[in-house]
Amino acid sequence: MTSIEFRPVCSYASPLSSQRTRRSVHGVSASCCMVLPQRGLLFAGLSDGKILVWESIDRNGGDRRAKESKPRVLEGHKGDVRSMIFVESLCQGVMITGASDRCIKMWDLSDPRINIPCVHSLYGHGGTVIALDYGLDLLLSSSTDGFLFVWRDSSPARLLRFP
């Protein structure tokens, strides 16, 4: 096997963290993250249910603008955001997130520079949603309740609904 070596390129500070200690303030921490280089976005899911979004990420993971750029805050979950995926083929780009509030949320990324609204919520799990995947027009989700759900895309508007 070929050796793989990673090195730090840059870091992004949460407005909720202390710059000196790099520790969480108010007990809030990042629990998952996702980068979308094709859209120039970096997401971090927080333990308080918020999602931070930084814009203008370049292919090397660095910020094209000043490193002190302030992230936008998406609100919708009521608990720790534990998983997130991006589906380019669904409605011109959708981010799907799962959290400890037992909810899956869909966020419209068709025009993320203007607005990133939550467009749909899926309920059914009895525990924290810890994993998500999408393929063949099916959304798979698993949670700490021990169940794997298969959600089928059956609406004319191409939004996911519980089967």
Side-chain angles (χ1 to χ4, degrees), residues 12-80:
Y12 296 86
S14 163
L16 306 173
S17 67
S18 166
Q19 189 67 12
R20 281 191 182 149
T21 63
R22 293 188 183 192
R23 288 200 177 122
S24 172
V25 176
H26 309 299
V28 177
S29 62
S31 50
C32 65
C33 58
M34 177 176 67
V35 64
L36 298 178
Q38 69 273 32
R39 297 204 178 204
L41 299 170
L42 172 68
F43 296 90
L46 303 181
S47 58
D48 67 354
K50 294 181 176 117
I51 299 170
L52 300 180
V53 184
W54 286 271
E55 294 183 25
S56 298
I57 308 303
D58 67 24
R59 290 183 185 269
N60 297 321
D63 192 344
R64 286 184 221 155
R65 291 186 282 164
K67 288 189 179 184
E68 296 300 319
S69 65
K70 297 217 181 225
R72 287 192 290 167
V73 179
L74 306 180
E75 297 189 38
H77 284 291
K78 291 177 178 62
D80 189 4

Side-chain angles (χ1 to χ4, degrees), residues 92-114:
Q92 299 176 344
V94 171
M95 176 176 64
I96 304 172
T97 58
S100 64
D101 59 4
R102 304 181 314 244
C103 181
I104 297 168
K105 295 201 174 282
M106 298 174 61
W107 306 83
D108 180 5
L109 294 181
S110 60
D111 194 3
R113 304 283 183 222
I114 306 296

Side-chain angles (χ1 to χ4, degrees), residues 70-91:
K70 297 217 181 225
R72 287 192 290 167
V73 179
L74 306 180
E75 297 189 38
H77 284 291
K78 291 177 178 62
D80 189 4
V81 180
R82 297 295 302 271
S83 55
M84 53 178 56
I85 63 170
F86 176 67
V87 181
E88 180 90 48
S89 62
L90 192 61
C91 298

